[in-house]
Amino acid sequence: MKRHNAAELPVPVSNGGERDDKTGSKVDKMGGAARRWRCGGCCSRLWFVLVVSATVTMLVLHGYDSGLGHGAAAVVRIEPVRRGSYHTRKVNPVDRGGGGGRPSFCGSSPSPPDSGSAKPVTVDHKSATSDSSTGTESDGGGEPSSASSSRPAAEDKSDRCGGRYMYVQELPLRFNTDMVKNCAALFPWTDMCKFTANGGFGPQMSGGGGVFQETGWYNSDKYTVDIIFHDRMRRYECLTGDPSLAAAVYVPFFAGLEVWRHLWGFNVTTRDAMALEVVDIITSRPEWRAMGGRDHFFTAGLITWDFRRLADGDGHWGSKLFSLPAIKNMTALVVEASPWHLNDAAIPFPTAFHPASDEAVFVWQDKIRRLERPWLFSFAGAARPGSAKSIRSELIAQCRASSVCSLMECADGPSNKCGSPARYMRLFQSSIFCLQPQGDSYTRKSAFDAMLAGCIPVFFHPGTAYVQYTWHLPKNHADYSVYISEDDVRGNASIEERLRRITPAAVERMRETVISLVPTVVYAQPSSKLDTMKDAFDVTVDAIIDKVTRLRRDIVDGRGEEEKLEMYSWKYPLLRQGQKVEDPHEWDSLASILLYSLLAWPKAAMLTSQ
Ligand SMILES: *[C@@H]1O[C@H](CO)[C@@H](O)[C@H](O)[C@H]1NC(C)=O
Ligand SMILES: *[C@@H]1O[C@H](CO)[C@@H](O)[C@H](O)[C@H]1NC(C)=O
Ligand SMILES: *[C@@H]1O[C@H](CO)[C@@H](O)[C@H](O)[C@H]1NC(C)=O
């Protein structure tokens, strides 16, 4: 395989226009381009280059306050295991009257979930699992919890689904399931059909030598959220064929798989073709006009930088999907979002666990709660030689030197020790803390694997989880994780010493929180979704509905969401009551250093394929 020519890479510039030593090297290795996709498990993501934008200066001015974030007054906790709470969150059914000339919701007659206009998604009526009798409280700011009085035909159904209806946009199959059918063409080097099988869960694994349970475990690839989400949506209990009833509109475009098959060796015309097509289709539909697409969402199960090409030219990485005006109005669900754009949101990477019942989750939680954890901490991953900004070599050196750290060094090729989920899950299950430095991008699937194993994640950069998965993880990061800054690691802070300082009681508390997050970070079986708890899909759908409902209210109130500044998009979900976005925040300095970390691959990287 041919290596790239590093000289073709854009040089990251600091505020003054000079090279920024912090953001590292302009010489990030392009060899990783292919590696990222070939090896499974925990090895490489794309190496990418940080380009610091001019807007940096604005953030720098806000300084650094290390005290914030720990004592958050308005901690939003996700409490996944709460019996009977599944449908208690009600969003008031939508008044679209002021939202752009659509007929108002109340005037239209409700239709029951209807598969007719929702292809390729079909409705499964079996999922009447919720306890609607508890659904009396309202999250909708004191408004009535449902509009059942004005919708006599829907009765119980309207109560259960009030404000939760989803409309599924109709798209030709080539935008979604055909890509799965043609899975052999998804990736130039490996047949991905193994991983797209079983609704995107991949091949089933059993037992794993006692590491897993007998059922519900799969060797899931980290980029199959498109398929997983779609399968769940097909069986969503509140689908409607009437878009005027819907709280949000799901566009079944597998944007992740689409870009995936065109990332290497294709010109920008090819990479953007389907993106432009899908925009043409959806913007010409009447549903679009209600909110200019702000109630529309879709999955793009890769990282955001795969869809934010810096400029036109075959040498630049990715598609320009997320920069298209229509898509800017929508919400794209990715596994790594941009902290500086408002139109994407991060949802968890798929892990190996896809439970079929609440019972399976309880049994798993019990198991990981009782495990002996002989190692204080562990690290599974590979170093990033050649990346000046990576702290992985420091972590590996510290782990090697410590008698309480277990190291699983990953390598490419057949000797890849991290390739098997049973191996790294065994490691995480025998460790109290699991180190989660940045990968080739900010995030790592491994962070979710660790939490699934009941191992408390140790993060070194807020971009790895804290500013990403704000829908799924607690706002107060100290509740479930340890933060040691990359700068501290570079300054020879001892990880072991830091972790030893944490009291057993605090460890216990954090681990309990991590264990309680298990349902929240896994994708359950679509055929028998969880009953009393919300999985990653449920939490995502709730968050989308909340977001669109707020937007709609803003439009009705004449408050445009335009007042939100993209550069602060990472910050909005972390704000406490009364806090303003301009107020200093713990992560300001880091955000400024890393602002606009955009991928820009040179042509050579794309020619390495064959
Ligand atoms: C892009 O590639 C396709 C085939 O992959 C080719 O048909 C087309 O002419 C190319 N377009 C440009 C502008 O190079
Ligand atoms: C995006 O939304 C704004 C208003 O919210 C609207 O004016 C604009 O036309 C929308 N863009 C597209 C492409 O529909
Ligand atoms: C960290 O330790 C290494 C080797 O022990 C040393 O070379 C380096 O100067 C130290 N760095 C700092 C900031 O103390």
Side-chain angles (χ1 to χ4, degrees), residues 294 300 504:
R294 285 175 199 274

Side-chain angles (χ1 to χ4, degrees), residues 384-395:
R384 294 285 183 269
S387 166
K389 78 178 173 74
S390 177
I391 56 162
R392 288 180 169 221
S393 325
E394 282 95 326
L395 297 184

Side-chain angles (χ1 to χ4, degrees), residues 135-159:
T136 50
E137 72 196 49
S138 168
D139 273 357
E143 289 150 331
S145 64
S146 83
S148 48
S149 56
S150 62
R151 299 159 58 202
E155 290 157 23
D156 285 347
K157 264 191 185 125
S158 81
D159 201 37

Side-chain angles (χ1 to χ4, degrees), residues 135-286:
T136 50
E137 72 196 49
S138 168
D139 273 357
E143 289 150 331
S145 64
S146 83
S148 48
S149 56
S150 62
R151 299 159 58 202
E155 290 157 23
D156 285 347
K157 264 191 185 125
S158 81
D159 201 37
R160 181 163 63 86
C161 294
R164 299 180 41 83
Y165 283 111
M166 287 280 176
Y167 179 75
V168 180
Q169 190 67 265
E170 225 178 303
L171 282 182
L173 297 184
R174 64 200 169 85
F175 288 96
N176 41 66
T177 50
D178 276 0
M179 290 185 226
V180 180
K181 257 190 220 140
N182 302 324
C183 50
L186 277 177
F187 182 61
W189 298 286
T190 323
D191 184 359
M192 288 303 298
C193 295
K194 182 164 88 147
F195 294 109
T196 56
N198 291 322
F201 291 163
Q204 208 158 351
M205 302 187 293
S206 67
V211 178
F212 312 130
Q213 292 150 304
E214 287 308 314
T215 58
W217 290 79
Y218 297 79
N219 186 1
S220 299
D221 188 82
K222 51 185 167 178
Y223 301 123
T224 53
V225 158
D226 288 348
I227 310 169
I228 295 172
F229 203 92
H230 179 256
D231 264 29
R232 281 297 293 283
M233 201 45 109
R234 287 175 57 188
R235 294 168 161 101
Y236 181 66
E237 65 272 27
C238 300
L239 293 180
T240 176
D242 177 358
S244 72
L245 260 184
V249 175
Y250 168 60
V251 178
F253 173 39
F254 291 0
L257 296 191
E258 211 296 304
V259 82
W260 191 350
R261 55 188 185 167
H262 292 140
L263 279 174
W264 293 272
F266 291 91
N267 58 33
V268 291
T269 319
T270 307
R271 274 181 265 156
D272 293 337
M274 215 169 208
L276 296 168
E277 251 184 293
V278 87
V279 162
D280 271 355
I281 294 175
I282 58 179
T283 54
S284 64
R285 294 269 170 81

